[in-house]
Amino acid sequence: MEKIELGTTGVQVSQLGLGCMQMGTATDEATSFRMLDAFADAGGDFLDTANCYMWWGGPQYQGGESEQLLAKWLSRNGNRNRAFVATKVAGLPVNVPELHAAQEAGDDPWPHVRFEGAGADTVRRGIDGSLKRLGVDHVDLFYVHVDDRATPLEETLAALDEIVVAGKARFIGWSNVRTWRLDRVRALAAQNGWAAPVAVQQRYSYLHQHPGTDHTSSAGEEMLSYLRDHRDTSLVAYSPILANLYDSADPEKHRFWPLYGNAKALEAVHTVAKEVGATGNQVALAWLLQRRDPRAFALMGPRTWEQFETIVPAIDLRLSDEQVRHLNDSA
């Protein structure tokens, strides 16, 4: 598995990361350990979790279950030394019981979420809680999960810098953020000598989001252009296969089709997939791993062992220059 540099830190991390969101809830411990072991044995070390994973898995969950499961795996046979661990703060709702009640009533809980924010005290409590649940003395990367526009950036950045100086996190990152906000974060960090984000985690895939449907969580052309000029911040792409859209039996009914649907581009993916004997998801992931400007990390988040097995072949899948051009011209 290829490793590439995280920002300009000099630290090499597996370009393919393992999203651990569902581990400890939708994915049981035995299956989680099997995937973690296989990922590490293949040379992968980038593990991604968050303090909120995965409160929406059921009324018995409060968030932090993924971190607690990872603690068990990390403590086995020196696994901590094999892992680059990323976790997050600011994405945990403060009203989880209310959201569970909405779920049980058949209502969509997400419109009712009230996030914890990224105030200094929340950030400090967040890292301490994550370290305790993970059973480690530091994490490698600590993200602001949901950009908090109500809290002064100076307050958040100063608290994050404290965490880095204290050795509780090696690096910081930001997620679900607009390009102009990321630029402001970087500028304030530079002005004050604070730790600056070395990673920005956004949804990104081969299919482009339609104009007019831009979301804070997506990496559009503006952000890609920004990252080309600021290579000290790496793109970490989540949902790179858009919840299996590329292999959907009826893509136009897929939940992401209104945002990403492009029949011509999807046909190009399927054409290349036939040529190389792969699935559409594998081709989309291989395309992302092979892109160079800017290079990106990709997070896969399988729920089952079978899903894990179908994603892993993309690691060794190499598309020809002609195939990449065909995909780019069709997007």
Side-chain angles (χ1 to χ4, degrees):
M1 190 178 302
E2 185 172 6
K3 293 190 176 184
I4 62 174
E5 185 178 10
L6 180 67
T8 54
T9 63
V11 175
Q12 300 283 320
V13 186
S14 62
Q15 189 181 11
L16 185 64
L18 183 59
C20 304
M21 181 177 73
Q22 300 183 87
M23 294 182 180
T25 51
T27 307
D28 62 32
E29 181 175 305
T31 304
S32 299
F33 280 16
R34 187 181 183 189
M35 290 192 287
L36 287 161
D37 287 340
F39 181 70
D41 290 344
D45 59 0
F46 196 170
L47 304 180
D48 182 86
T49 186
N51 66 340
C52 64
Y53 295 159
M54 192 169 91
W55 64 262
W56 60 94
Q60 69 273 38
Y61 303 125
Q62 301 298 314
E65 291 81 14
S66 170
E67 291 178 326
Q68 291 169 338
L69 182 138
L70 280 176
K72 297 179 182 179
W73 184 80
L74 291 169
S75 66
R76 295 172 55 204
N77 305 322
N79 281 336
R80 179 63 183 100
N81 296 327
R82 306 171 71 192
F84 183 95
V85 179
T87 193
K88 313 179 190 76
V89 69
L92 181 67
V94 297
N95 58 329
V96 170
E98 174 190 333
L99 301 175
H100 284 159
Q103 280 182 309
E104 291 178 344
D107 190 14
D108 180 4
W110 290 100
H112 309 293
V113 166
R114 299 197 306 273
F115 291 115
E116 62 184 338
D121 288 342
T122 300
V123 169
R124 294 185 189 107
R125 288 195 304 269
I127 188 63
D128 289 342
S130 286
L131 294 180
K132 182 177 180 180
R133 285 186 295 273
L134 286 162
V136 298
D137 62 1
H138 75 279
V139 295
D140 298 289
L141 179 58
F142 191 54
Y143 290 100
V144 172
H145 198 168
V146 178
D147 189 33
D148 176 11
R149 304 268 285 270
T151 299
L153 282 172
E154 292 88 344
E155 178 181 339
T156 302
L157 279 164
L160 290 168
D161 188 66
E162 288 177 20
I163 287 167
V164 173
V165 170
K168 295 180 179 182
R170 296 171 64 193
F171 308 110
I172 69 163
W174 232 266
S175 184
N176 301 303
V177 63
R178 295 286 187 186
T179 306
W180 69 266
R181 283 277 289 179
L182 179 62
D183 184 61
R184 181 64 177 154
V185 167
R186 287 167 41 85
L188 284 171
Q191 290 168 16
N192 292 279
W194 292 329
V198 302
V200 58
Q201 188 177 133
Q202 303 285 111
R203 183 187 296 130
Y204 182 65
S205 187
Y206 163 70
L207 290 175
H208 303 322
Q209 194 159 338
H210 296 162
T213 63
D214 181 36
H215 287 184
T216 304
S217 59
S218 299
E221 184 51 44
E222 181 179 61
M223 180 164 283
L224 295 176
S225 178
Y226 183 84
L227 295 177
R228 291 184 191 106
D229 291 336
H230 300 89
R231 297 186 183 273
D232 52 348
T233 306
S234 289
L235 173 62
V236 179
Y238 71 83
S239 296
I241 59 174
L242 297 175
N244 297 313
L245 172 60
Y246 297 97
D247 287 320
S248 172
D250 193 349
E252 294 188 10
K253 292 184 178 179
H254 191 283
R255 63 188 174 92
F256 277 134
W257 189 259
L259 296 178
Y260 292 90
N262 181 329
K264 178 183 177 183
L266 191 59
E267 181 181 359
V269 170
H270 292 160
T271 297
V272 172
K274 290 179 181 177
E275 291 174 356
V276 297
T279 69
N281 288 335
Q282 291 166 0
V283 168
L285 188 54
W287 173 87
L288 179 54
L289 294 174
Q290 286 183 224
R291 69 164 295 130
R292 290 293 182 271
D293 195 23
R295 296 203 76 176
F297 293 87
L299 295 177
M300 62 172 180
R303 178 179 57 83
T304 66
W305 174 253
E306 289 72 25
Q307 289 174 352
F308 179 88
E309 282 190 306
T310 63
I311 294 171
V312 168
I315 297 171
D316 298 318
L317 180 59
R318 292 292 178 267
L319 306 179
S320 69
D321 291 344
E322 182 180 350
Q323 289 167 336
V324 171
R325 280 194 298 271
H326 177 54
L327 290 169
N328 291 341
D329 290 346
S330 300

